[in-house]
């Protein structure tokens, strides 16, 4: 027993000696003033409060110097190469040292520089703003217009598609119609998707590969919010088209209030035959699909539409819906009215992609927008309301329909002394005088 105690004591002594040898040596206090400091990010406010005044001043000065270089103040040769890279690869994020700041951030930083922070609390606030701004991802985005021109924008990860659209409205001076959309195209897969207004644009663009040929277009899509302008098409789709065309505006508002105004969203109970492309093959088999709030289901062969017989095709959480181009030739689809469901990170052909084909364009319209309703829910309706508000705020107080008609244009003969003007119409002859009277 004594031997065991002696061995245990000896082991504890060796462990204590080993731990002491691994401890860092004492640092000379004089050298600490010249060493760099670091901040733990577990609690940033607490870490900044623990800094001495001179360390905090050094941190603010360092962050300001970095923001100065990020304002684009580069040598001429570096500026040229940076612009060439931005035009060649519109998706690529800029390096941290070459990121220009947005205009609002520049104005706020100029204001802070004019009034130097005096108290420690003001210095900590400034340091937090600089650190937060330094961690924001930014992209140079080249947006193509329908007329062949393009606009180049600086977009950071905090900006939504709605904000980018507002910026394009200012640049292009076009009307602020609710139909305007930002769309991405993938030439390799021959697909297209319109970004939703609430999406942060940097996120889907970050999924593009370095050698991607994808592009962004600023185009008008009349069917973008058709589920709100004509809700009867989706919630009364079983009725005949003649009945749907007679729905007045009051009935449409009742449908919107019933399906989107409550605490829960009601998804269109869409169902019907679609053609599914088999994995790895150019064969399409017809199946009966049904749309539900949780996803798309289909009825197996020989089964009924009972809930117990349905098989889940996919859920919407991790996939986006895309329209396709000329799949009748590319994949021998029954028609060209096809759509695709895939994860946004998949940029090439994969067996994880699902291809579906409709019989006609109207059926494609129903499935595309009904899936959007099921995927995004009430957020989609809020996007529509925000777009309507933006469109109404951009219109003049009195529309052209309520303006007084312009007076007819008159032409004076005196302006053309030698010959009558090209649009001159001679006045009608005077009426004949009454009997017994003559003109003077």
């Amino acid at each position: 027993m004594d031997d065991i105690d002696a061995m245990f004591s000896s082991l504890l002594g060796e462990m204590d000696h080993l731990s002491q040898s691994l401890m860092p040596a004492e640092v000379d206090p004089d050298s600490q003033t010249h060493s760099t400091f670091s901040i733990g990010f577990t609690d940033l406010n607490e870490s900044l409060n623990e800094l001495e005044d001179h360390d905090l001043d050094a941190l603010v000065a360092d962050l300001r110097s970095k923001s100065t270089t990020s304002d684009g103040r580069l040598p001429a040769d570096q500026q040229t190469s940076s612009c060439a890279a931005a035009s060649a690869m519109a998706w690529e994020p800029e390096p941290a040292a070459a990121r220009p700041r947005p205009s609002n951030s520049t104005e706020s930083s100029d204001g802070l520089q004019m009034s130097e922070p005096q108290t420690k609390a003001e210095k900590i606030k400034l340091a937090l703003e600089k650190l937060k701004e330094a961690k924001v991802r930014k992209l140079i985005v080249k947006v193509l217009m329908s007329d062949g021109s393009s606009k180049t924008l600086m977009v950071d990860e905090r900006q939504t598609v709605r904000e980018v659209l507002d910026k394009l409205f200012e640049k292009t001076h076009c009307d602020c119609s609710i139909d305007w959309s930002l769309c991405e195209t993938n030439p390799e897969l021959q697909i297209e998707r319109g970004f939703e207004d609430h999406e942060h644009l940097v996120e889907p663009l970050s999924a593009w590969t370095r050698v991607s040929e994808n592009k962004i277009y600023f185009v008008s899509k009349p069917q973008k919010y058709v589920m709100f302008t004509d809700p009867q098409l989706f919630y009364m789709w079983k009725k005949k088209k003649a009945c749907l065309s007679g729905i007045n505006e009051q009935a449409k508002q009742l449908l919107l209030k019933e399906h989107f105004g409550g605490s829960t969203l009601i998804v269109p109970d869409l169902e019907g035959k679609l053609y599914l492309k088999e994995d790895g093959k150019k064969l399409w088999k017809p199946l009966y699909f049904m749309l539900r709030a949780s996803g798309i289901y289909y009825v197996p062969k020989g089964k009924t539409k009972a809930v117990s017989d349905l098989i889940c095709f996919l859920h919407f959480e991790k996939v986006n819906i895309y329209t396709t181009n000329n799949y009748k030739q590319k994949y021998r689809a029954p028609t060209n009215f096809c759509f695709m469901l895939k994860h946004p990170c998949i940029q090439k052909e994969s067996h994880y992609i699902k291809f579906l084909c409709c019989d006609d364009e109207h059926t494609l319209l129903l499935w595309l927008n009904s899936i959007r309703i099921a995927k995004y829910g009430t957020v989609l309706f809020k996007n529509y309301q925000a777009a309507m508000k933006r469109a109404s705020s951009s219109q003049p107080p009195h529309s052209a329909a309520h303006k007084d008609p312009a007076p007819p244009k008159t032409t004076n003969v005196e302006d053309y002394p030698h010959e009558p003007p090209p649009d001159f119409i001679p006045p009608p002859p005077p009426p004949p005088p009454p009997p017994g009277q003559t003109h003077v």
Side-chain angles (χ1 to χ4, degrees):
M1 189 68 178
D2 295 338
D3 294 339
I4 296 176
D5 292 338
M7 292 174 60
F8 186 69
S9 300
S10 176
L11 180 60
L12 289 178
E14 292 180 1
M15 292 177 64
D16 184 56
H17 178 72
L18 179 61
S19 62
Q20 290 180 2
S21 64
L22 293 176
M23 291 180 64
E26 294 185 0
V27 182
D28 185 8
D30 296 335
S31 65
Q32 286 185 341
T33 58
H34 302 288
S35 62
T36 58
F37 55 86
S38 63
I39 301 175
F41 285 91
T42 54
D43 191 341
L44 192 55
N45 289 288
E46 182 180 352
S47 301
L48 290 174
N49 276 293
E50 291 178 357
L51 290 177
E52 298 293 338
D53 287 339
H54 64 278
D55 287 338
L56 190 56
D57 292 339
L59 174 63
V60 172
D62 182 58
L63 290 172
R64 279 181 173 172
S65 65
K66 290 182 178 179
S67 65
T68 302
T69 58
S70 67
D71 286 336
R73 301 173 184 174
L74 299 174
D77 55 346
Q78 294 184 12
Q79 288 182 354
T80 305
S81 61
S82 177
C83 294
S87 62
M89 295 176 290
W91 60 270
E92 186 176 6
E94 287 191 314
R99 293 175 179 169
R101 299 171 62 82
S103 58
N104 56 354
S105 301
T106 305
E107 294 172 359
S108 61
S109 64
D110 291 342
L112 290 171
Q113 290 177 4
M114 292 176 62
S115 58
E116 292 291 335
Q118 301 296 330
T119 64
K120 188 173 183 177
E122 292 176 351
K123 294 177 183 178
I124 290 175
K125 182 180 179 181
L126 177 60
L128 287 173
E129 290 177 357
K130 297 290 185 181
L131 287 170
K132 184 178 180 180
E133 182 68 27
K135 294 189 292 183
V136 174
R137 289 186 299 165
K138 300 180 180 68
L139 295 180
I140 297 291
V141 180
K142 183 178 180 181
V143 182
L144 303 178
M145 307 293 162
S146 56
D147 60 356
S149 62
S150 64
K151 300 291 182 182
T152 303
L153 307 174
M154 168 70 73
V155 182
D156 66 48
E157 62 183 352
R158 299 166 297 184
Q159 291 179 308
T160 62
V161 172
R162 177 77 264 163
E163 294 172 333
V164 178
L165 286 174
D166 292 341
K167 190 182 298 185
L168 286 170
F169 291 156
E170 296 175 1
K171 283 182 172 289
T172 58
H173 305 287
C174 66
D175 63 345
C176 302
S177 169
I178 64 173
D179 298 335
W180 286 108
S181 306
L182 281 181
C183 300
E184 68 167 326
T185 61
N186 185 322
E188 182 171 348
L189 293 175
Q190 297 178 205
I191 57 174
E192 177 181 325
R193 180 176 84 92
F195 295 119
E196 303 297 345
D197 287 357
H198 67 274
E199 289 186 74
H200 291 86
L201 186 60
V202 170
E203 185 176 349
L205 298 188
S206 300
W208 292 7
T209 61
R210 179 175 292 273
V211 295
S212 173
E213 295 183 1
N214 296 6
K215 293 179 176 61
I216 301 178
Y217 286 88
F218 177 58
V219 293
S220 179
K221 293 284 187 181
Q223 309 300 336
K224 180 179 180 179
Y225 288 124
V226 65
M227 70 287 291
F228 305 119
T229 57
D230 293 308
Q232 73 278 6
L233 298 179
F234 302 89
Y235 292 97
M236 301 171 63
W237 62 274
K238 295 181 181 179
K239 295 184 177 292
K240 295 181 178 180
K241 293 183 179 180
C243 299
L244 299 180
S245 60
I247 299 294
N248 57 24
E249 191 63 29
Q250 184 178 2
K252 293 179 182 180
Q253 295 302 320
L254 289 175
L255 282 175
L256 291 178
K257 184 177 180 180
E258 177 184 356
H259 296 91
F260 295 94
S263 57
T264 58
L265 174 76
I266 301 178
V267 177
D269 57 343
L270 190 61
E271 60 183 59
K273 183 186 70 173
L274 297 175
Y275 299 93
L276 172 64
K277 180 180 176 297
E278 296 187 6
D279 294 339
K281 301 178 182 179
K282 294 185 179 181
L283 298 177
W284 300 74
K285 58 180 180 181
L287 290 173
Y288 198 88
F289 287 88
M290 306 179 72
L291 178 66
R292 298 294 179 263
S294 57
I296 301 179
Y297 296 79
Y298 69 91
V299 180
K301 187 176 181 179
K303 299 291 184 178
T304 63
K305 298 180 185 178
V307 177
S308 57
D309 291 336
L310 297 180
I311 296 179
C312 181
F313 179 64
L314 56 77
H315 297 289
F316 300 127
E317 289 82 4
K318 302 296 182 181
V319 298
N320 289 330
I321 184 168
Y322 301 79
T323 56
T324 64
N325 179 29
N326 199 18
Y327 269 26
K328 190 172 183 180
Q329 178 179 358
K330 182 179 177 67
Y331 291 116
R332 298 178 186 174
T335 69
N336 274 325
F337 306 110
C338 304
F339 63 94
M340 172 195 290
L341 295 159
K342 74 174 185 69
H343 193 280
C345 289
I346 300 176
Q347 297 293 314
K348 298 183 179 181
E349 291 194 22
S350 169
H351 63 277
Y352 293 105
I353 298 177
K354 303 300 181 183
F355 302 89
L356 292 171
C357 182
C358 306
D359 284 326
D360 51 59
E361 186 177 6
H362 179 69
T363 305
L364 176 63
L365 174 71
L366 292 180
W367 279 98
L368 285 176
N369 293 286
S370 297
I371 291 175
R372 290 174 61 205
I373 295 174
K375 177 176 174 61
Y376 300 109
T378 55
V379 177
L380 205 63
F381 188 54
K382 293 178 181 178
N383 292 346
Y384 167 71
Q385 292 175 321
M388 288 291 294
K389 183 178 180 180
R390 180 68 172 86
S392 61
S393 64
S394 66
Q395 293 178 355
H398 301 285
S399 62
H402 296 84
K403 288 183 179 179
D404 295 331
K409 182 179 179 181
T410 59
T411 305
N412 297 324
V413 182
E414 291 80 1
D415 296 336
Y416 298 85
H418 301 292
E419 60 180 357
D423 58 346
F424 174 70
I425 301 176
Q437 294 185 9
T438 59
H439 281 294
V440 178

